[in-house]
Amino acid sequence: MIKIQKEDFNSEEEINNIKKLYSNVGAITSFIGYVRDKNNNNKVQSINLEVYKDMAYKQLEKIITKARSKWNLIDCLIIHRYGKLNINSKIVFVTCFSEHRNDSFESCNFIMDYLKKDAPFWKNEFYDKKNEWLINSN
Amino acid sequence: MIKIQKEDFNSEEEINNIKKLYSNVGAITSFIGYVRDKNNNNKVQSINLEVYKDMAYKQLEKIITKARSKWNLIDCLIIHRYGKLNINSKIVFVTCFSEHRNDSFESCNFIMDYLKKDAPFWKNEFYDKKNEWLINSN
Amino acid sequence: MKIKYFAWIKEITSHEEEQIDSNEINNLDKLKIFIISKYPDLKKHLDQEILRFAVNQDYVVENIDLNKDDEIAVFPPVSGG
Amino acid sequence: MKIKYFAWIKEITSHEEEQIDSNEINNLDKLKIFIISKYPDLKKHLDQEILRFAVNQDYVVENIDLNKDDEIAVFPPVSGG
C-alpha cells in the first residue's frame, strides 16, 4: 500500500493494520526518515516537501513490484509525507512484511534506495536566512 | 536500552521516547519478529520463550557495544519478550537510531544476527499434540 | 499537451503548469527546444543534463513522440526519502 | 558454586539450579565430568558439542578455573529473536 499524505502517522497502528491480515508474517523491517536539525552545517528550521503525486504513486508501485520479484514479500507499506515539515517530523516510512528476516531487510533497503533515486519528491530546506533545494547524493 | 519483558509493547511509543532526545536523528531502522502460525510444516499454537535474564542483558549490551564501534549509532533499543506467546505476538524489537540511513540499517541487521546467535533465549514451540525446542539455523 | 514544472524549475518558469497545443511540437526533442526558447534560463540546466523529463508519469530519456493528451513533467533531480 | 540449567537440559537434570561445593571441582573440565557422571543422559550431548557453557554470564569454550561464587550455566544452542 502507498500513501502520500500531509498528515503524520502512527507506525504501530499502520503496521498492525497490515500485520493482522497475515498470520504467516514472521519478520517486519521498517525504516523511518526524519527531518534533522542540521544539514551540511546549516541549522535547519523546517523543510517544504514538494511532490508530483500521480507520478510518485506510479513510480513507487513500480519499485514495490520490482522488490516483490526479487524477494518473498507478503506485503509492503510506503508512506511519504509532503508539505511543510518541522524538524523532528517523520518524512518517510517503509515497512516490508515477510516470513523470514532477510527478505524484509533487503527489500526495505532496496525500496529506500530506489525511492531516493526515482520518487518525484523535492526538499526545500529552510535555514535562518535562506532556503535551498536539495539533491539526493545517490 | 535493553528491555527483557513479558509484556507487549507499542513500537511507536518506544521509538518516540528515544527519538525525542535527539534532534540529529535522521534515520531509524526497526526489526520486529513475530510468532508465525506455521514452522517446519507444523501448525503452531503458541510458543514458550525461556530466558537466562542476567546473561541476556550482558550479551545484548556487548552486541550493542560492538555495533557502536562499527557504525555511527546515536542510540539503540532492544526489546525481547519471554514467557508464553501466542501466534501473531511480537517476540523481538530492535531499533537503531542514526543520522544517516546506512548506519541504522546495517547495525540493526548486525544486532539481529548476533542476537540470534548469542542471546540466551530458547523457544519451545507448541503444536497440536506435541512440543519442540527450536535451534536457530545460523 | 500539459506541461508541469516542479521545484526550482517552477521558479524559473514562474508557473507550475501550462497547456501547449501546437502540431509542430510532436516529439520530446522539439518540446525541449520550445521550452528553452521560452525560458532561456533553463538552457544551461538542459545542457548540463540536470533536467529530468517524464511523459505520463514515467521517466523518459530518449526522444519519443508526443500526443495531444500527454502530460509532460520537467523537474530537477529528486530529493525525497 | 551455582549451576543453572536451561531449556531441554533442564528436562534432563530435572531441576533448573543446584549448588555444588567441592574443593575438587576447581575448573570447568572437572565440572563437566561431574555433571555427566551425575546426569549420564547429558554425555552424548557434551560429546556432540551441543552443550554451551557460560561462567558468570559469559560464554566459555576453553577450560578455565572456577571459584566458589561463580555462576555456571549449561544450555543448548539458543533460539531467540
Side-chain angles (χ1 to χ4, degrees), chain B residues 52 59 62 80 118 121 123, chain D residues 56-59 71 79 81:
Chain B
Y52 179 12
Q59 296 306 312
K62 277 191 179 183
H80 204 304
D118 285 350
F121 292 88
K123 286 193 189 109
Chain D
N56 300 326
Q57 297 88 49
D58 277 313
Y59 286 96
E71 178 176 293
S79 53

Side-chain angles (χ1 to χ4, degrees), chain C residues 1-5 13 15-20 34-35 38-39:
Chain C
M1 60 194 90
K2 198 202 287 180
I3 322 290
K4 293 168 82 84
Y5 305 103
T13 62
H15 43 243
E16 34 181 89
E17 204 173 302
E18 64 184 313
Q19 192 70 29
I20 294 178
F34 171 82
I35 288 172
K38 185 165 182 186
Y39 309 104

Side-chain angles (χ1 to χ4, degrees), chain A residues 52 59 62 118 121 123, chain C residues 56-59 71 79 81:
Chain A
Y52 179 12
Q59 296 306 311
K62 277 190 178 183
D118 285 351
F121 293 87
K123 287 193 189 107
Chain C
N56 300 326
Q57 296 88 49
D58 276 314
Y59 285 97
E71 177 176 292
S79 53

Side-chain angles (χ1 to χ4, degrees), chain D residues 5 8-18 35 39 42:
Chain D
Y5 305 102
W8 52 263
I9 307 295
K10 191 176 61 185
E11 295 170 1
I12 293 175
T13 61
S14 301
H15 44 244
E16 33 182 272
E17 203 173 305
E18 65 184 314
I35 287 173
Y39 310 104
L42 285 181

